[in-house]
Amino acid sequence: LEYITAAILAPNCGNAQCHSSFRREDDYAFDTVDEARITFATYPGLIVPSDPNESVLYQTLVSPGGKNQPLRMPYDQPLANRDVELIYHWIDEGAEGLVAP
């Protein structure tokens, strides 16, 4: 979680306009590891450890959008494929770090 937050979530999702501790769009904050941990604990469906296809975070990152589909995020500039793949593998391998050591 520490690397995923620092390298991907904070710079791409946790900016001041969206999912920061200040703005909390949809009540999510991803600008720090602690805030990401709180968000994932508060909304357990965002990450389903070992099941990226059931994880709302992953589904939102790969959504084609359109009718009955969530808007792909970040909506203004989708994540690089390598970042999406890294999140997929992190979730698939159990989403280490969701609980503080």
Side-chain angles (χ1 to χ4, degrees):
L1 179 63
E2 289 81 5
Y3 183 80
I4 294 292
T5 300
I8 302 170
L9 297 178
N12 293 289
C13 310
N15 55 52
Q17 305 91 306
C18 295
H19 302 296
S20 67
S21 300
F22 173 74
R23 175 66 191 251
R24 301 192 73 81
E25 187 70 29
D26 295 327
D27 199 33
Y28 303 159
F30 299 120
D31 52 339
T32 69
V33 173
D34 288 338
E35 287 295 330
R37 218 175 251 132
I38 290 167
T39 297
F40 293 135
T42 303
Y43 301 98
L46 284 175
I47 299 290
V48 178
S50 303
D51 196 348
N53 293 316
E54 291 298 320
S55 299
V56 172
L57 175 68
Y58 177 73
Q59 290 305 313
T60 301
L61 297 175
V62 299
S63 175
K67 190 174 182 174
N68 299 322
Q69 297 290 326
L71 184 63
R72 184 175 181 171
M73 291 287 157
Y75 67 88
D76 58 344
Q77 185 174 358
L79 292 180
N81 287 338
R82 69 180 185 275
D83 290 341
V84 173
E85 289 172 11
L86 186 62
I87 289 174
Y88 178 93
H89 290 294
W90 170 67
I91 296 170
D92 192 47
E93 293 171 5
E96 183 179 336
L98 286 182
V99 178

